[in-house]
Amino acid sequence: MRGLQTLLRIRETYIGIVAAIAFQLIFFTIWMTAYNGVNERADQLSIGLLKEDTEMGSQIVKDMKDNIPFTLKEYSSRKDAEQALNERQINMIMQIPANFTKQLRTGEKAEIIYSINQANASVAKNMMDGVAKQLTEEMNQMLYPLQQNQAIEVFSQQFAQLPFEQNTSQQINASVQTTVMTVKDHAVDATIVKTNDVEGFAANFVPLMVIISSFVGAMVMIMQHQQAAQMVQSSVSKWQLFLARQLLNVGVALTLPFLTIGLMHLFTISSNESFLSIYFFQSVLFLAFLCLAQVFVILFGNIGMVFNICALSLQLVTSGVLVPKTMLSEGYQQLAAMLPATYGADGYYTIIFGGSAANLLQNSSSLAIIILVTLAIATVTVAIKPAPALTSS
């Protein structure tokens, strides 16, 4: 009991208890509000339509527009559709080949080709895979009675030409058998092409893992640097201290990518991007995380760590790793555009899975803007706050 009484006299004991409660409240509040109504926003996912067949293909596209709850975008060329898929502007391509109607009329198996980008949130990938199978099944149900009617029409024509002799019944039976055999209850097959796919289940979690490890590491580092700064603030000027912290941030940001890339090689996570591209992107990403975590601590002191906990949870739900950003509410989508994890996840999808090479540069530019803005806020805050009195050594 004496040990308990001693701990209860220390302020940090209560801070730890409050932190445990705060984590529960913050994570539950943010995650539940962010993912509330996600299924109702499935219409924000997009399917690209590549209609090369102008007969039955047009009817299928018309029926899709009337019945499925997704945004449909028509493309005139395969190249444009693939570019949109790689840039994650659409979630799937549905291609109706030029010989689709011909295959149906000749009794062959027709084919619909679906392309699903694997460099995407797991919810979107799984949902598009299910949609492809469901659409194919619905098409078969729609086409089966049409083929039956065509078969009856063909049979009637053949029967009208038959001579009424002794072998009439045998000829009718043969005609019926030939005609009915051409009717298939599954006239359409689905070919699902998974673009930007990689081997290994673990690779799917690299973007999420990098975000969590990088930002939590940045939070802990900034917290420790804040405590160190408070210990020496009476012996150095505030500007010397601020500059020293920025030099530490840059130094760690330039060093950490060697570890990140080394771990990726250790666990056989391959990439088509060059070493320099990955190194530069990870450096900019980690520096953005450091600057974001730092600005809250400089603004609010130790209480700023509560804001960093909020920032961690917000970035996990809005980054687009677990659920596509388009399926979040408008407020969370706008917030995602201001947080570095959004661009970090998108960049790592390109690094791990492939896709548009210009993606890394675009995401790096966005991260650079976040760095400049957060540094500017931190600088202004340091300038406004009074400097503690220096003690003579």
Side-chain angles (χ1 to χ4, degrees):
M1 291 298 294
R2 182 178 178 183
L4 179 60
Q5 290 174 350
T6 303
L7 286 175
L8 292 176
R9 295 193 192 102
I10 301 173
R11 185 187 64 172
E12 281 72 11
T13 301
Y14 296 97
I15 293 176
I17 296 172
V18 171
I21 296 171
F23 262 100
Q24 290 279 320
L25 289 173
I26 290 169
F27 270 71
F28 263 83
T29 302
I30 291 176
W31 284 63
M32 292 299 101
T33 55
Y35 290 159
N36 184 42
V38 162
N39 289 334
E40 287 73 15
R41 289 188 288 273
D43 59 343
Q44 299 301 311
L45 295 179
S46 301
I47 297 176
L49 298 176
L50 193 60
K51 183 186 65 177
E52 298 173 347
D53 181 271
T54 56
E55 296 183 60
M56 289 298 298
S58 299
Q59 181 62 40
I60 290 171
V61 170
K62 181 179 181 299
D63 290 341
M64 284 183 63
K65 289 180 177 178
D66 294 337
N67 297 315
I68 69 170
F70 299 105
T71 302
L72 302 178
K73 299 179 181 179
E74 292 195 47
Y75 292 89
S76 57
S77 74
R78 177 81 186 179
K79 181 180 178 181
D80 292 341
E82 287 180 344
Q83 181 178 351
L85 185 67
N86 281 333
E87 294 177 355
R88 288 177 279 281
Q89 297 175 10
I90 57 177
N91 301 98
M92 180 173 71
I93 298 173
M94 177 181 173
Q95 180 182 0
I96 306 174
N99 61 346
F100 184 79
T101 301
K102 180 181 177 182
Q103 288 178 318
L104 289 175
R105 286 176 176 170
T106 56
E108 300 177 28
K109 280 270 189 177
E111 182 183 47
I112 297 288
I113 302 171
Y114 302 92
S115 298
I116 303 173
N117 190 359
Q118 297 303 289
N120 214 330
S122 55
V123 169
K125 291 187 288 188
N126 294 334
M127 189 173 289
M128 288 297 108
D129 193 67
V131 167
K133 295 172 182 176
Q134 181 182 348
L135 286 174
T136 304
E137 185 62 31
E138 290 178 356
M139 267 186 275
N140 280 307
Q141 293 176 5
M142 178 189 75
L143 292 171
Y144 183 54
L146 293 177
Q147 285 197 302
Q148 282 182 317
N149 292 333
Q150 289 178 354
I152 293 172
E153 183 179 347
V154 171
F155 171 71
S156 299
Q157 293 173 355
Q158 292 178 346
F159 182 74
Q161 297 172 0
L162 291 175
F164 290 95
E165 299 176 356
Q166 294 181 351
N167 62 346
T168 297
S169 60
Q170 289 88 347
Q171 293 183 27
I172 292 175
N173 288 334
S175 180
V176 169
Q177 184 177 3
T178 301
T179 304
V180 172
M181 287 297 292
T182 64
V183 181
K184 300 179 177 67
D185 59 346
H186 279 73
V188 181
D189 276 340
T191 299
I192 299 178
V193 179
K194 295 184 177 181
T195 65
N196 299 323
D197 200 10
V198 295
E199 294 183 2
F201 182 72
N204 293 281
F205 293 95
V206 171
L208 178 63
M209 180 267 304
V210 169
I211 289 172
I212 294 175
S213 62
S214 295
F215 190 70
V216 171
M219 284 172 54
V220 174
M221 175 177 157
I222 291 300
M223 179 178 66
Q224 296 301 319
H225 286 185
Q226 175 70 5
Q227 292 176 355
Q230 290 173 344
M231 294 172 63
V232 300
Q233 63 184 355
S234 60
S235 58
V236 294
S237 71
K238 65 178 183 179
W239 288 114
Q240 288 176 323
L241 197 55
F242 180 71
L243 178 60
R245 294 179 68 169
Q246 306 322 304
L247 292 175
L248 283 173
N249 289 346
V250 172
V252 174
L254 292 175
T255 305
L256 185 71
F258 291 111
L259 176 61
T260 306
I261 296 171
L263 289 171
M264 286 172 60
H265 281 288
L266 179 64
F267 291 100
T268 63
I269 303 296
S270 60
S271 173
N272 292 326
E273 298 296 327
S274 67
F275 172 86
L276 286 177
S277 296
I278 301 174
Y279 173 84
F280 175 76
F281 182 77
Q282 176 61 26
S283 296
V284 176
L285 174 62
F286 192 62
L287 185 58
F289 281 143
L290 286 170
C291 290
L292 180 65
Q294 173 184 254
V295 75
F296 291 121
V297 172
I298 289 179
L299 279 169
F300 306 108
N302 292 332
I303 299 177
M305 291 307 297
V306 176
F307 291 91
N308 278 328
I309 295 171
C310 293
L312 171 62
S313 191
L314 284 169
Q315 290 184 99
L316 290 177
V317 298
T318 62
S319 63
V321 175
L322 301 174
V323 172
K325 295 187 292 292
T326 53
M327 294 181 72
L328 300 176
S329 63
E330 184 66 26
Y332 279 101
Q333 289 186 44
Q334 293 176 354
L335 195 59
M338 297 183 286
L339 296 171
T342 301
Y343 308 103
D346 198 60
Y348 264 96
Y349 272 131
T350 301
I351 290 172
I352 303 301
F353 295 92
S356 174
N359 220 21
L360 281 183
L361 185 58
Q362 294 172 359
N363 287 310
S364 297
S365 300
S366 300
L367 290 170
I369 293 172
I370 292 174
I371 292 170
L372 293 174
V373 170
T374 51
L375 273 178
I377 295 172
T379 303
V380 171
T381 304
V382 171
I384 294 174
K385 283 188 174 181
L390 296 178
T391 57
S392 57
S393 56

